[in-house]
Amino acid sequence: MSTEPLAATFERTAEQGRICSVATRGHRDLQERVASYPALFPDPPVDGAMLSALAMSTAFIAPWCTAAELRTANRTSLWVTAEDWRIDSEIISLEEATATVAACLAVAEGGAPAADDQLTQFLADIRDDLTATPGFARLGHLWRDELRRMLDAELREWQWRANSASGTALPSADEYLANAAGYGATWVNISHWIATDAVETEEQLAALATASYAVEKVLRLVNDLASYKRDVKGGDLNILMLGLDEEQVRKQAVDQADQCQKLLDPLTKVSPRQVAYLRRVLDFTVGFYHGTDFWGVR
C-alpha cells in the first residue's frame, strides 16, 4: 500500500494551517465589530462559536483569499445576522419592520445613519468600504438592488409569521423557497466580488448573481433541515412546516443542486474563480449544516 509523500503531506497540512490562520484573523475582526455595535449582537444567540464559524466558512470557501480580502464577506455575513435578528426577533409590528428596511435602504443609497441606530451605522461602514473600491461606481447599483431584494424577502417572511400567529394561511413550500433571498447569501457574495474587484462588467456580475440565487435556495433547504427544532421553539418559519417531510426536502435540495451546476457550467470559462467560489459555498455549507447551524442556543 503506497503512502503519500512526506512533502505532499506537509504542503497540504501547511495550506490547512494557513486557512485556519486567515479564519482566526477574520474571527478577531468580527469580535471587534461586535464590540463596536453591542446592541446588535445579544449573546446568546450570537456567541463566540458563531463568530468563529462565520470566519471559518469564508476562509475555507475562498482559500485563495487573504484575511483582508475576506473582510467584507465576513462583515456582511455578520450584518445579515444582525438584520435577521432585528426583524425576526425584536420587531413587533409591520410598521416598525417597514421603517427598518427603509432606513437601511436609505443608508445604502448614501444617507447618514441615525445616531441611535447601530444597524444602519454598521451598514454605513460596509458601504463606505465598498465605495472606495474600483468597481463600486459601476456595480454599486447591483449591490443596492440585491440588498433591497434581501430585505423585501425578510419583510415578506415577517408578514408570513404574523399571518401564522393569527391563524391566516401560510405560504406554499414553493412560495417559501422562492423567497430564499432573505437568507442573505447572494448579497454577501455580490459584496465580496465587488470588494475584491473580482468582476469587470455588470453582465458578468448579473450572471453570477443568477447562479448565486440558485445556490441560495439549496442553502435555504439544508438550513431548514438543520434548524427545524429550533424554528419550532422560536416561532420561525421552516419549509418542514409547509407540507413537506424531510425526505422530500432532501430530494428537493439535490434537484436544486443539479440546477445550480447547469447554471454554473456555462460561466466557468468567463468567471472560473467565481464559479469555484459558488461551488465551494454550496459544498461547504451543505457539509456544515449536516452537523450544526450558525446560531447559538437562544
Side-chain angles (χ1 to χ4, degrees):
M1 182 183 219
S2 62
T3 58
E4 185 177 23
L6 183 60
T9 301
F10 175 82
E11 182 178 357
R12 178 166 51 83
T13 305
E15 173 64 4
Q16 293 169 348
R18 188 196 65 79
I19 294 170
C20 289
S21 174
V22 168
T24 299
R25 293 177 63 187
H27 183 189
R28 288 175 178 147
D29 180 70
L30 293 180
Q31 287 176 313
E32 291 176 1
R33 293 300 87 204
V34 169
S36 296
Y37 301 110
L40 301 181
F41 304 107
D43 180 5
V46 184
D47 56 12
M50 175 190 242
L51 300 181
S52 176
L54 286 177
M56 179 177 62
S57 67
T58 58
F60 275 93
I61 286 167
W64 48 81
C65 287
T66 66
E69 289 170 332
L70 290 176
R71 188 175 76 165
T72 293
N74 285 333
R75 290 186 176 187
T76 49
S77 295
L78 186 63
W79 189 85
V80 169
T81 297
E83 167 271 320
D84 184 62
W85 178 259
R86 170 76 64 85
I87 292 180
D88 282 4
S89 302
E90 295 182 341
I91 287 176
I92 60 174
S93 72
L94 179 59
E95 292 75 17
E96 186 182 0
T98 302
T100 297
V101 167
C104 291
L105 294 175
V107 166
E109 292 284 353
D116 60 348
D117 184 5
Q118 293 188 5
L119 185 66
T120 52
Q121 290 167 11
F122 188 8
L123 180 60
D125 287 345
I126 293 169
R127 176 204 65 197
D128 291 347
D129 282 348
L130 285 171
T131 300
T133 62
F136 193 77
R138 67 179 185 276
L139 301 173
H141 68 98
L142 296 176
W143 177 80
R144 291 186 292 270
D145 288 349
E146 185 57 32
L147 178 64
R148 181 182 297 276
R149 184 172 181 267
M150 180 185 79
L151 293 175
D152 283 348
E154 286 274 28
L155 268 182
R156 194 171 297 113
E157 187 166 336
W158 191 97
Q159 292 175 293
W160 286 339
R161 286 195 305 273
N163 291 344
S164 175
S166 64
T168 308
L170 291 171
S172 69
D174 287 344
E175 289 172 328
Y176 174 81
L177 189 58
N179 200 51
Y183 185 86
T186 297
W187 184 67
V188 171
N189 295 341
I190 288 174
S191 301
H192 171 68
W193 289 325
I194 293 175
T196 56
D197 201 25
V199 292
E200 296 180 357
T201 67
E202 294 181 31
E203 292 77 14
Q204 184 186 11
L205 184 56
L208 289 167
T210 298
S212 180
Y213 298 150
V215 170
E216 195 160 31
K217 290 181 179 180
V218 181
L219 306 189
R220 176 78 278 168
L221 292 168
V222 297
N223 172 271
D224 280 15
L225 287 169
S227 64
Y228 174 68
K229 291 181 180 179
R230 187 196 73 209
D231 292 339
V232 170
K233 291 180 180 179
D236 288 341
L237 278 184
N238 186 296
I239 199 167
L240 290 170
M241 302 172 186
L242 305 176
L244 299 183
D245 60 28
E246 290 188 14
E247 183 177 351
Q248 290 172 314
V249 173
R250 289 193 182 94
K251 182 180 185 305
Q252 195 167 12
V254 170
D255 292 343
Q256 184 63 40
D258 289 342
Q259 179 63 30
C260 292
Q261 300 305 332
K262 293 176 182 177
L263 289 170
L264 289 169
D265 285 345
L267 302 177
T268 302
K269 186 174 181 179
V270 175
S271 306
R273 180 59 61 84
Q274 291 72 43
V275 168
Y277 171 90
L278 285 173
R279 284 182 168 140
R280 290 180 69 89
V281 167
L282 182 61
D283 294 346
F284 180 92
T285 309
V286 168
F288 182 86
Y289 279 129
H290 183 72
T292 188
D293 69 358
F294 288 95
W295 291 98
V297 177
R298 302 188 185 188

